[in-house]
Amino acid sequence: MVKKYVLRIILCCAFMACNTGELKFDDLNVPPITGVFDIPLGDITYTMSELLDEIDPSDLNLLEDSSSFLKLFYIDSLNYSSNNDFVQIDDVSGSNTLSSIPDKDGPITVSPAEKFTQSYNPNGGEQLDSVYHNGGELSLTDSSDANATLNYTVTFNNTISTTDGTPMTFDGSLMGAGSETQSKPLRNHVTRLDNTSGSNEFTVSFEAEIVLAGNQSLEGTENISIDFTYGNQTFSLIYGKFGQDRVSLGRQSINIDLFDDFGDGIFFGDPIFRFRFENEFGIPVAVDFSGVSGDDGNGNNQVFLSGNIIDVLPEIGAAANPGETEETTIEINKGNSNIVQLLSNSPSRLVFDIAGISNFYDTTQSNFVQPQNEISTLIEVEIPMEVRLEDFEVTFGYGLGDGLDTEDFDSAFLRVVTLNELPFSGSLTMEIQDASETSLFTIPEVLVFDVPFIDVNGFVTDPSGSFADIPLSPEAIEALTVGSRVAMIVTLNTPVSLTSREIFVKILSTYKLEIKLGVGARVNIEID
């Protein structure tokens, strides 16, 4: 507790200066001690980086460059790799029957042959050029109800070995009516398709040799047929024209508790959302950012991104060749969107729900996909601390120990001195609080300090100072007697523009606000 020790020291010094042997204490008459005494309570200096450090942590990082200019930064990533969204091929089956069976009596050998056109269609009807098989099998069933020996050769002219260039061929024999099934692996084969007619066509050659004995004959109505299936297929590469598909490139959210501390009314002058795409697909993809939003963390008070970036979709370029990557950077800024307004809503969460539309601007161009292809996205949120700020509060504290001894105070006042380098104007209120930080007495708007000089580039070049003595009421003095802390609530605002131009100021980590606080008291001490 701040007691009368200062006064007692003064008195002791006075006594020591006298010849105490000559004093007669019975006759000593000491006049009252009066005057004004200053009791310093503290001197606090806060830099801008310290002010921001008091904000609750969030996913945003606070960085500074070589000039001490501050910015908030966040980085995350998305990955999209569902190539089935662009083209999906399940089992492909077909069948056909020889129509050139002659009416013959044995003994004779006849050799009917035909070439069939078949369709190889994916689920979405995409036009395919080449399908490189990585797995699966081609199975063939040959059936005959002829009472004769059947030797056959079935050639899939468009399914070719990537090793030696020969088509896949099946040979077999049936001794009379019956059927036979055989299969071959599709790995290391490519099926090349003709889509000039609008469907994916390939040909199958069916060559038969029917051997009739002397007692055997053909009526010309026999059924000799094939059934085939491209089954359990996997692919290493598919070429074609895949048309338009809407896909989800990914969804990510970040918490930004920063805005809870700033409250409403903070405006960032030049925020940027930057997306760095790496596309391994041979497919251009337009990006739909309309799902990007800010909300209160629970899906309420949503503000969605809008502007030219939504009206005219930007496009991720396609990879030129398999195994290559096309890099595309798309930037969302105040020039092409409402990003300033989105952030001024003080969202607690940013949601990046990003969609893509393949071949958005040209559905006729050729594409390719591989199973390992992906679109990887690096998300960068960059918010330079170039701000317009309204009513941002920060609280400092000065300790009173067990309270001040105000017994001999005739009157008292608080003396406040500030030196401001922050690019804001401010007002100051005070609370005298107990040990649990419960307010015992409030002193409203102790003083207002001015904005320092700011140059045309938004930087502070000359700090401003202020000084005030605030008289204390008897209730305030009583609160100082029992209080434990003086809390100083500073409310900061960027300067008001005198024109229609919005003012944004740059914040350096080295900017500081210095506040000195003391109690001045007029005392009247009677010495008995």
Side-chain angles (χ1 to χ4, degrees):
M1 183 180 289
V2 181
K3 301 294 185 181
K4 302 174 185 174
Y5 70 94
V6 175
L7 301 179
R8 289 191 169 91
I9 290 173
I10 293 173
L11 290 175
C12 288
C13 291
F15 290 145
M16 291 174 64
C18 301
N19 186 347
T20 56
E22 298 177 359
L23 291 176
K24 294 180 180 180
F25 287 92
D26 291 342
D27 299 327
L28 185 62
N29 183 16
V30 180
I33 298 176
T34 62
V36 176
F37 293 88
D38 291 331
I39 305 172
L41 295 182
D43 182 351
I44 294 180
T45 300
Y46 268 70
T47 65
M48 197 64 221
S49 58
E50 290 171 329
L51 288 176
L52 294 173
D53 283 343
E54 292 198 354
I55 295 169
D56 288 339
S58 70
D59 286 339
L60 293 170
N61 298 307
L62 187 64
L63 305 176
E64 61 179 279
D65 63 16
S66 58
S67 68
S68 299
F69 181 53
L70 293 169
K71 67 178 177 181
L72 298 167
F73 193 78
Y74 168 85
I75 189 167
D76 212 326
S77 61
L78 299 172
N79 286 89
Y80 169 80
S81 59
S82 182
N83 55 69
N84 283 344
D85 287 342
F86 299 121
V87 56
Q88 182 174 349
I89 305 172
D90 294 330
D91 290 354
V92 175
S93 298
S95 62
N96 227 306
T97 301
L98 284 176
S99 61
S100 57
I101 306 299
D103 179 1
K104 295 287 185 180
D105 294 323
I108 193 174
T109 298
V110 295
S111 302
E114 290 190 40
K115 188 175 185 179
F116 308 122
T117 298
Q118 301 288 299
S119 294
Y120 184 105
N121 289 323
N123 291 357
E126 292 85 3
Q127 297 182 32
L128 304 182
D129 293 324
S130 301
V131 175
Y132 287 81
H133 302 277
N134 192 45
E137 63 279 335
L138 177 56
S139 60
L140 173 74
T141 299
D142 185 86
S143 302
S144 172
D145 60 6
N147 183 23
T149 298
L150 172 68
N151 301 315
Y152 65 88
T153 298
V154 178
T155 304
F156 291 81
N157 301 301
N158 298 69
T159 300
I160 303 165
S161 169
T162 56
T163 303
D164 57 20
T166 59
M168 186 171 283
T169 301
F170 294 84
D171 296 299
S173 295
L174 292 174
M175 301 302 177
S179 64
E180 179 182 65
T181 299
Q182 54 182 309
S183 63
K184 292 188 176 183
L186 285 166
R187 185 177 177 84
N188 298 324
H189 283 76
V190 57
T191 299
R192 303 191 187 279
L193 302 162
D194 181 359
N195 56 47
T196 55
S197 63
S199 62
N200 306 303
E201 297 180 345
F202 65 99
T203 62
V204 180
S205 297
F206 189 0
E207 299 175 358
E209 183 181 74
I210 305 172
V211 181
L212 296 173
N215 60 348
Q216 295 175 328
S217 63
L218 292 173
E219 301 295 331
T221 58
E222 287 78 7
N223 187 337
I224 299 176
S225 62
I226 56 171
D227 295 274
F228 64 87
T229 298
Y230 289 79
N232 304 312
Q233 299 175 92
T234 59
F235 309 97
S236 60
L237 180 60
I238 302 174
Y239 284 98
K241 298 177 182 178
F242 302 151
Q244 280 189 6
D245 293 286
R246 185 177 181 87
V247 300
S248 174
L249 296 180
R251 189 181 191 276
Q252 186 61 274
S253 63
I254 62 171
N255 297 317
I256 43 176
D257 297 333
L258 163 81
F259 291 104
D260 292 337
D261 297 274
F262 273 115
D264 295 333
I266 179 169
F267 299 89
F268 293 96
D270 194 20
I272 294 171
F273 297 158
R274 188 177 295 110
F275 300 85
R276 303 185 188 276
F277 296 97
E278 293 187 354
N279 184 14
E280 296 175 349
F281 292 96
I283 308 171
V285 179
V287 186
D288 183 359
F289 291 109
S290 62
V292 175
S293 65
D295 61 36
D296 66 353
N298 297 310
N300 302 314
N301 300 324
Q302 283 182 303
V303 175
F304 284 91
L305 200 68
S306 63
N308 191 63
I309 197 75
I310 306 299
D311 300 334
V312 182
L313 300 186
E315 191 171 61
I316 305 169
N321 298 292
E324 297 180 356
T325 299
E326 180 67 19
E327 297 182 3
T328 305
T329 298
I330 299 173
E331 189 173 280
I332 298 175
N333 53 49
K334 64 183 179 181
N336 59 20
S337 74
N338 66 332
I339 187 172
V340 172
Q341 288 72 30
L342 188 153
L343 293 179
S344 69
N345 195 48
S346 301
S348 297
R349 178 178 66 172
L350 289 177
V351 178
F352 296 96
D353 192 353
I354 305 173
I357 304 173
S358 60
N359 299 311
F360 184 73
Y361 290 104
D362 183 3
T363 60
T364 66
Q365 59 185 309
S366 296
N367 308 133
F368 67 80
V369 295
Q370 294 176 285
Q372 71 272 23
N373 287 161
E374 66 177 19
I375 299 175
S376 59
T377 309
L378 186 68
I379 303 173
E380 297 176 1
V381 176
E382 183 178 322
I383 307 178
M385 292 300 286
E386 183 176 353
V387 303
R388 182 159 54 91
L389 196 63
E390 296 179 5
D391 296 331
F392 169 55
E393 288 189 356
V394 63
T395 301
F396 311 127
Y398 296 88
L400 295 175
D402 296 328
L404 301 182
D405 184 348
T406 62
E407 177 184 350
D408 297 309
F409 284 12
D410 280 351
S411 61
F413 60 88
L414 286 175
R415 174 163 293 172
V416 185
V417 179
T418 66
L419 182 65
N420 180 31
E421 286 184 350
L422 307 183
F424 310 113
S425 62
S427 61
L428 185 65
T429 59
M430 289 187 183
E431 286 185 358
I432 302 170
Q433 300 175 343
D434 63 14
S436 62
E437 298 189 4
T438 300
S439 178
L440 302 174
F441 191 86
T442 300
I443 309 169
E445 199 164 280
V446 172
L447 93 128
V448 175
F449 51 88
D450 295 327
V451 182
F453 183 79
I454 301 173
D455 65 18
V456 294
N457 296 314
F459 293 105
V460 172
T461 58
D462 189 18
S464 66
S466 61
F467 169 90
D469 285 338
I470 300 95
L472 298 177
S473 66
E475 293 81 5
I477 295 173
E478 176 62 23
L480 286 173
T481 303
V482 297
S484 299
R485 180 175 183 264
V486 176
M488 308 186 72
I489 300 97
V490 178
T491 303
L492 301 173
N493 286 275
T494 43
V496 177
S497 174
L498 299 178
T499 69
S500 59
R501 182 174 64 88
E502 295 178 335
I503 291 180
F504 291 88
V505 293
K506 293 182 172 67
I507 297 178
L508 304 186
S509 64
T510 53
Y511 288 162
K512 63 180 181 290
L513 174 64
E514 183 176 4
I515 303 175
K516 296 181 179 181
L517 178 65
V519 175
R522 179 173 293 280
V523 300
N524 188 350
I525 302 175
E526 296 286 347
I527 305 297
D528 296 329

